[in-house]
Amino acid sequence: MEAALHVTTDSRRVQVASLFVALRGRQTDGHVWIPDAVRRGAVGVVGEDPTWVEWFRTQAPSIPYWVVRAARPAAARLTRVLYGPALDRLVVMAVTGTKGKTTTVHWVQDALRRLGVPCARVGTLGMDPDVGLWTGLTTPEAPDLGEYAHHLVRQGISHMAIEASSIGLDQYRIDGLRVTVAAFTNLGHDHLDYHGDMEAYYRAKLRLFDEDYWGLRHVVLHTDDPFGRAILRDRAFRRATVVTVGTCGDPTTACEHTIHGVVRSSGLWGARGVLWGPGLEKPLEWSIRLSGSYNISNFLVAWAMAASVLPADRWPDLVEAMAAFSGAPGRMERLEFPDGRVVVIDYAHTPESLELVLQHLRPQVPGRLIVLFGCGGERDVTKRPRMGAVAARYADFVILTDDNPRREDPQRIVADIEAGLRAVPGAPPWSVIHDRRTAVHTGLAMLRPGDCLLLAGKGHEDYQIYGTTKVSYSDRQTVLEWMIDHVETR
């Protein structure tokens, strides 16, 4: 066998001297791409299916085929062997949680860069810098992350902030890395179509906090969330520095959090307050441009993550750097009309995230709060009526529409949501408009000065998925195009 210089789980990325790892997925089996990988020059193949041994004996006798019990851990180990020196030179800061990962990772990267620390980012919105390796997964496959780390080190980038999704953790995607900082934001109702129940979902997140396995040096836990406190209970940290974060009433009183933020004022403009904790001679004044209590929590987690890799004398500079952050695309993104009409675009697609957004918007909106959303097809069906009930409790009018129905009947999805709306006494009126562009146009036409239209669920996404086909579509672009046609300029 020739020496392997590259590892991949995608046959299309096989090159000369590549080792191909065949992964079994939920919808496709990577073993079917073995012939393609061999044709493209793979020098070896790793898989789980022993029936392919005969194919290699007759069709590719010079190419070794290794049968393993679990291909994903094998891919991570091979990544570690191939890219180990580069991986050890990179400071990896990983955050997991149902909500807030994207904002937190963007915030950490933005702040460190402003302070002169070269920092990359990996997550839902891609890789930055982009070297052509992102495949659309929040947490890429282990070989892709290893190759990316190799590129970063060659470019002189020393730090990387990454979103560690529960599925990515369960599938060993970051297992090739050494994680320096592990952080947790919160846990809510999501991905149960994959994990089965909340206990399994939590256990997948808990993998990131195995101190010995990852070589953790710093742990950041949002302990306003009960699952953050559960991690403290379920993991014994002997060497890693553990920082808990949350909000408290006053910096001079006892608080259960290591780092606690005191909120002095907040609104749609953002929030301001003071930060207090060990290593600080006095409370630090902070202000952020992002609104909502959840973004205050994201700020605290991001601050603690970035502070853990900076000397204490730079912490005041870190607060100033974080004040300049304007938010990640599609996260509480505001588009305002001259007459006071407001559109908010947010990725909220779980009952908890939708409720947090609505709890924040409701007291800030002097007029009507119109909520437009749908639920993804072939995903957790139990959250649909719950999201309907959440909308019913806060909205003045609800528009139900499509949000990546995939191969499921969109009418069935909406009917599940409507069951939750009907269960709430005094529920507001609602309409069903399956075509999302038409639905958004309808919501925009309803707005009067003082009203707010929340477009929930898609956030940054620039597509709709019907069947297995992606169709170009963006909530933000749809709103901007409508504004051009309907807003008078002087």
Side-chain angles (χ1 to χ4, degrees):
M1 172 186 164
E2 300 177 35
L5 303 176
H6 178 249
V7 181
T8 184
T9 59
D10 186 340
S11 67
R12 295 166 296 184
R13 298 197 63 246
V14 167
Q15 52 193 262
V16 175
S18 284
L19 190 64
F20 175 66
V21 182
L23 301 180
R24 284 192 166 117
R26 299 174 69 189
Q27 298 181 355
T28 59
D29 186 344
H31 292 81
V32 303
W33 301 110
I34 287 176
D36 183 54
V38 171
R39 281 195 300 270
R40 292 173 184 264
V43 296
V45 176
V46 175
E48 299 175 359
D49 189 346
T51 64
W52 280 87
V53 171
E54 181 62 20
W55 184 90
F56 277 92
R57 188 184 69 80
T58 59
Q59 302 297 318
S62 64
I63 306 298
Y65 175 59
W66 293 278
V67 181
V68 296
R69 286 188 296 178
R72 289 187 182 277
R77 289 194 294 271
L78 290 167
T79 298
R80 184 75 201 163
V81 170
L82 184 61
Y83 300 112
L87 301 180
D88 288 338
R89 292 166 62 186
L90 195 64
V91 177
V92 177
M93 300 165 288
V95 59
T96 193
T98 304
K99 307 179 295 293
K101 296 189 301 296
T102 299
T103 296
T104 300
V105 162
H106 277 251
W107 220 330
V108 169
Q109 182 201 34
D110 185 79
L112 289 179
R113 282 183 169 180
R114 291 178 188 274
L115 296 177
V117 178
C119 185
R121 164 181 54 77
V122 179
T124 304
L125 302 189
M127 294 172 163
D128 181 27
D130 182 8
V131 297
L133 288 172
W134 193 57
T135 59
L137 296 173
T138 293
T139 307
E141 298 290 355
D144 296 330
L145 279 177
E147 188 175 351
Y148 187 58
H150 179 66
H151 279 283
L152 296 180
V153 171
R154 291 180 63 183
Q155 293 178 29
I157 296 174
S158 56
H159 292 64
M160 179 173 73
I162 180 172
E163 296 180 47
S165 69
S166 61
I167 296 175
L169 286 165
D170 188 62
Q171 295 183 353
Y172 304 93
R173 294 183 196 164
I174 70 169
D175 284 45
L177 304 176
R178 289 290 181 262
V179 180
T180 302
V181 183
F184 172 81
T185 58
N186 51 67
L187 195 72
H189 194 109
D190 202 12
H191 301 303
L192 299 192
D193 55 305
Y194 176 90
H195 295 289
D197 56 41
M198 287 297 293
E199 176 64 19
Y201 185 27
Y202 166 67
R203 291 291 166 185
K205 299 286 190 186
L206 192 61
R207 278 202 71 232
L208 184 60
F209 301 95
D210 187 326
E211 180 183 56
D212 295 328
Y213 186 79
W214 302 106
L216 300 178
R217 295 177 60 190
H218 303 277
V219 172
V220 177
L221 302 174
H222 176 225
T223 44
D224 278 341
D225 187 277
F227 286 99
R229 298 191 293 272
I231 293 172
L232 279 178
R233 178 197 66 213
D234 294 335
R235 283 285 187 254
F237 299 104
R238 298 179 302 278
R239 291 179 298 276
T241 301
V242 180
V243 172
T244 62
V245 301
T247 55
C248 290
D250 189 276
T252 61
T253 59
C255 181
E256 63 178 327
H257 311 296
T258 311
I259 300 291
H260 54 276
V262 179
V263 182
R264 297 301 193 202
S265 59
S266 63
L268 287 177
W269 52 268
R272 65 173 61 95
V274 294
L275 191 70
W276 184 248
L280 296 174
E281 295 180 0
K282 61 180 181 179
L284 293 177
E285 299 283 341
W286 59 265
S287 65
I288 59 175
R289 298 167 62 183
L290 278 60
S291 62
S293 61
Y294 43 91
N295 275 321
I296 295 171
S297 299
N298 293 337
F299 161 72
L300 294 172
V301 173
W303 188 90
M305 289 177 67
S308 69
V309 298
L310 292 171
D313 61 2
R314 300 213 68 188
W315 291 356
D317 298 331
L318 176 61
V319 170
E320 290 186 17
M322 295 187 71
F325 181 61
S326 59
R331 271 63 177 174
M332 285 301 287
E333 188 172 355
R334 289 166 55 88
L335 298 172
E336 299 186 21
F337 292 77
D339 61 2
R341 291 174 288 172
V342 176
V343 178
V344 174
I345 300 172
D346 193 81
Y347 191 49
H349 60 282
T350 69
E352 292 85 358
S353 58
L354 183 61
E355 183 157 28
L356 282 172
V357 170
L358 291 174
Q359 282 177 340
H360 172 63
L361 289 177
R362 181 69 276 177
Q364 311 285 343
V365 176
R368 296 175 302 163
L369 178 55
I370 302 168
V371 179
L372 180 150
F373 76 101
C375 288
E378 299 182 317
R379 295 295 185 266
D380 180 12
V381 299
T382 63
K383 71 178 182 180
R384 296 172 186 172
R386 292 185 60 195
M387 291 183 69
V390 167
R393 289 196 293 270
Y394 295 94
D396 296 300
F397 192 87
V398 178
I399 300 174
L400 301 179
T401 189
D402 290 351
D403 185 349
N404 300 334
R406 299 181 176 85
R407 292 173 296 182
E408 194 171 348
D409 181 0
Q411 293 183 346
R412 170 62 184 274
I413 297 173
V414 167
D416 289 343
I417 301 172
E418 287 182 299
L421 282 161
R422 292 193 179 95
V424 177
W430 70 86
S431 64
V432 176
I433 305 173
H434 285 285
D435 179 77
R436 193 171 181 109
R437 181 173 280 103
T438 302
V440 171
H441 288 172
T442 301
L444 290 167
M446 293 176 63
L447 288 177
R448 299 191 295 260
D451 290 350
C452 175
L453 171 63
L454 171 65
L455 306 180
K458 297 204 71 65
H460 64 281
E461 290 182 352
D462 58 2
Y463 58 83
Q464 279 273 49
I465 304 176
Y466 292 98
T468 57
T469 303
K470 278 189 176 182
V471 178
S472 178
Y473 172 80
S474 161
D475 274 351
R476 187 176 192 275
Q477 191 62 34
T478 298
V479 174
L480 292 176
E481 290 172 354
W482 191 92
M483 291 175 73
I484 290 172
D485 292 336
H486 293 84
V487 177
E488 294 183 4
T489 58
R490 298 183 181 182

